Amino acid sequence: MGSVSLNIGEGTARFKKGTFWSSAVNLLMIFSVVTTNLFALYALTSSPKHQPDHATHNKSLSLVSEQVSLILREISSSQRKLAKMEKELLGYETLDISRPNIANELKLFLQHHQLPLGKDSRTGITEMVAAVGHSCEKSTDLLSQYMTYKVSGPCPDDWSLAQKLILRGCEPLPRRRCFAKSAPKVGLYPFPTSLWKPVSDKIAIWSGLGCKNFECLNKKKLSRECAGCFDFVNGYENKKYVTARGKNDFLVDDVLALASGGIRIGFDIGGGSGTFAARMAERNVTVITNTLNIDAPFSDFIAARGLFPLYLSLDHRFPFYNNVFDLIHASSGLDDGSKPEKLEFLMFDIDRILRAGGLFWLDNFYCANEEKKATLTRLIERFGYKKLKWVVGERVDANGPGKSEVYLSAVLQKPARV
């Protein structure tokens, strides 16, 4: 009795534990009570040289009472200050849910829920706290709009609003109690036929997008990694990783031959339409493709190919345990033009989920200038990876102004660390 153990998956809830601040408050209170009692005892039991009269005795008691009141007020003030600091450190509690324009669903989601049997004996938690991104506080109005809907009814057609919040750092988003819009997914093929069959326009939800079909998308350059990347009939997409256009293009079989211990599972960061995962699937390797639906229904398209899309921004810590992947593949999507520190945090997270002896394949990373190349090189060398392949070369951007651009491609092996 008096304890309960809960096993809830990551992303479901956060638990609020006893913190350093609450411990400090407890110690301060104990010290103050002991000091006050000793002071009062001394004042009441000490034997002065001359017996005080009744008025002097009352004055002494009044002085003790004032001192005790002052100490109690200081303790109360310290408790309020420490509680405020703790809320600021927790991040999500800076959301002012008392504001009149905050959706009721958001208020309900963010409420603390006490454990039914009190403090948990294993974790020390006393209540469950909903998970919501710290940066959501900067977009409270949009977040409240996102959480305004009819409970148990259809969700608003607002996936683009959710993605806008994610791109602003509001991740994870709060859960909702409504039914998401679904497409009938007409024209799906069985695996592995699905890997290279043209995908029907009907599998995707096109609301919020400029194009309303894949033919339109194939006429656009959506990114450096996606120019005609939905077209398996014409262009280069169905030749990627098996046919090289230049020295920076490594072939998938050549890279797999470099691995020690074999390649079984991998992670593709910013994987476009999922072609890298498709090539690996042909070789019995499972690859998760990280993507967002920037200007195109990437997640729908990847899933229609029978592959695994992970809808996640690169600002979010990867939801994987340490040292689990044999291979991580990434390209220019690693760099969004932000400060070097952001790329450094990302590289450390990549290193965390890659096993010792695993391969990090940096595929045609665009170096905007010599400084960018030098910064990336210094960052990589800090990790002590073994350079199995390292090629810096120039390539003419066929879908751009025709200027020559510098790219870095590398296959790096993570060392074992004690």
Side-chain angles (χ1 to χ4, degrees), residues 5 77 90 102 190 306 315 320 328 338 379 389 418:
S5 296
S77 176
L90 285 173
I102 298 295
D315 293 326
F320 307 115
I328 295 180
S338 301
L379 178 59
K389 281 179 172 287
V418 179

Side-chain angles (χ1 to χ4, degrees), residues 4 28-29 131 142 152-153 158 197 204 208 270 299 369 399:
V4 63
L28 178 61
M29 290 179 66
L142 288 179
S152 298
D158 60 354
K197 278 285 188 179
S299 296
N369 50 52
N399 298 288

Side-chain angles (χ1 to χ4, degrees), residues 367-414:
C367 302
N369 50 52
E370 191 64 30
E371 181 182 358
K372 174 68 70 175
K373 184 181 71 173
T375 300
L376 178 63
T377 301
R378 287 194 298 269
L379 178 59
I380 290 174
E381 289 177 346
R382 286 177 57 189
F383 290 87
Y385 283 27
K386 182 179 180 181
K387 295 178 181 178
L388 304 180
K389 281 179 172 287
W390 185 277
V391 176
V392 177
E394 295 185 357
R395 191 175 74 191
V396 175
D397 184 7
N399 298 288
K403 294 174 59 178
S404 181
E405 299 175 330
V406 176
Y407 289 84
L408 168 64
S409 291
V411 178
L412 310 166
Q413 188 172 43
K414 178 180 175 178

Side-chain angles (χ1 to χ4, degrees), residues 82-100:
L82 289 172
K84 182 180 179 181
M85 292 172 65
E86 186 176 19
K87 286 185 176 184
E88 290 174 352
L89 289 172
L90 285 173
Y92 77 90
E93 293 198 7
T94 58
L95 283 170
D96 183 7
I97 60 175
S98 65
R99 290 166 50 183

Side-chain angles (χ1 to χ4, degrees), residues 238-256:
N238 59 359
K239 300 181 181 66
K240 287 179 73 173
Y241 309 112
V242 293
T243 302
R245 292 181 297 181
K247 63 179 183 178
N248 282 70
D249 294 333
F250 301 157
L251 304 185
V252 65
D253 290 328
D254 293 343
V255 173
L256 292 179

Side-chain angles (χ1 to χ4, degrees), residues 28-154:
L28 178 61
M29 290 179 66
I30 293 171
F31 176 77
S32 300
V33 170
V34 171
T35 304
T36 302
N37 289 336
L38 290 174
F39 179 78
L41 182 63
Y42 172 78
L44 293 174
T45 61
S46 62
S47 299
K49 294 181 180 179
H50 302 286
Q51 186 69 23
D53 58 18
H54 186 70
T56 305
H57 182 69
N58 288 339
K59 186 176 181 181
S60 298
L61 288 177
S62 177
L63 178 62
V64 171
S65 178
E66 289 178 5
Q67 292 294 328
V68 171
S69 298
L70 177 61
I71 291 172
L72 291 176
R73 286 196 298 270
E74 290 179 351
I75 291 174
S76 179
S77 176
S78 297
Q79 284 180 314
R80 289 193 297 270
K81 290 178 180 179
L82 289 172
K84 182 180 179 181
M85 292 172 65
E86 186 176 19
K87 286 185 176 184
E88 290 174 352
L89 289 172
L90 285 173
Y92 77 90
E93 293 198 7
T94 58
L95 283 170
D96 183 7
I97 60 175
S98 65
R99 290 166 50 183
N101 62 334
I102 298 295
N104 288 331
E105 280 290 280
L106 182 58
K107 294 179 182 179
L108 181 62
F109 181 80
L110 292 178
Q111 284 181 359
H112 295 196
H113 299 279
Q114 297 292 328
L115 296 182
L117 299 180
K119 184 176 180 180
D120 178 45
S121 59
R122 291 186 180 179
T123 62
I125 63 169
T126 59
E127 57 189 359
M128 292 191 300
V129 183
V132 64
H134 174 76
S135 294
C136 291
E137 188 271 336
K138 300 176 182 177
S139 305
T140 309
D141 293 339
L142 288 179
L143 184 63
S144 190
Q145 180 183 341
Y146 173 74
M147 291 298 288
T148 301
Y149 56 88
K150 182 180 178 181
V151 177
S152 298

Side-chain angles (χ1 to χ4, degrees), residues 238-315:
N238 59 359
K239 300 181 181 66
K240 287 179 73 173
Y241 309 112
V242 293
T243 302
R245 292 181 297 181
K247 63 179 183 178
N248 282 70
D249 294 333
F250 301 157
L251 304 185
V252 65
D253 290 328
D254 293 343
V255 173
L256 292 179
L258 299 173
S260 59
I263 301 293
R264 301 151 301 169
I265 54 174
F267 184 40
D268 187 16
I269 300 174
S273 60
T275 294
F276 177 76
R279 288 297 181 202
M280 299 300 285
E282 292 175 328
R283 290 152 178 83
N284 296 319
V285 177
T286 301
V287 169
I288 298 172
T289 303
N290 158 249
T291 187
L292 286 172
N293 291 342
I294 306 295
D295 298 326
F298 288 104
S299 296
D300 286 322
F301 191 87
I302 292 169
R305 299 180 74 176
L307 303 169
F308 189 160
L310 179 65
Y311 192 72
L312 187 75
S313 77
L314 296 185
D315 293 326

